[in-house]
Amino acid sequence: MSHILDWVSVHQQMIYIVVLMVFLGIEVIGRVPAVLHTPLMSRANAIHGVVIIGAIIVMGRAEDDNYIALGLGFLAVVLGTLNVVGGFVVTDRMLEMFKKRK
């Protein structure tokens, strides 16, 4: 139990940042009506961009022998990148529906 409390006290600032990011994401996404799907995707892409940057920071600050942090950081970068790219593809398709055809 003491080991867990030591870890929490050492990483307290990062824990606060993650908790604040979760609440910020809920507030941003929760206030968008369903009609505004494309702007919601844009915001979701921005949030996932922040997740990617956070994962890169975690990987950069992790110790070389901390394989869990490195593995989770790498997984977060890969999944976040896939989500951003997929979000841009979906947004682009939706915007194509509103263009006038010749």
Side-chain angles (χ1 to χ4, degrees):
M1 184 70 169
S2 172
H3 179 68
I4 294 172
L5 293 176
D6 291 340
W7 185 88
V8 169
S9 66
V10 169
H11 296 94
Q12 188 174 12
Q13 185 179 13
M14 281 199 274
I15 293 169
Y16 286 146
I17 290 171
V18 169
V19 170
L20 287 173
M21 287 173 51
V22 167
F23 285 119
L24 177 67
I26 290 170
E27 283 296 315
V28 167
I29 293 173
R31 295 183 186 263
V32 177
V35 175
L36 301 175
H37 183 265
T38 301
L40 175 62
M41 289 300 295
S42 301
R43 289 182 180 165
N45 287 338
I47 291 170
H48 288 110
V50 171
V51 169
I52 293 169
I53 292 170
I56 292 171
I57 291 171
V58 167
M59 287 176 59
R61 294 182 69 184
E63 297 173 8
D64 292 338
D65 62 343
N66 191 350
Y67 298 115
I68 294 174
L70 292 172
L72 288 175
F74 177 75
L75 184 66
V77 169
V78 170
L79 294 177
T81 303
L82 288 173
N83 207 347
V84 168
V85 171
F88 279 119
V89 169
V90 169
T91 302
D92 188 51
R93 278 191 191 169
M94 291 196 63
L95 291 175
E96 286 289 324
M97 292 180 0
F98 295 106
K99 289 184 179 178
K100 292 183 180 180
R101 296 183 183 167
K102 294 181 180 179

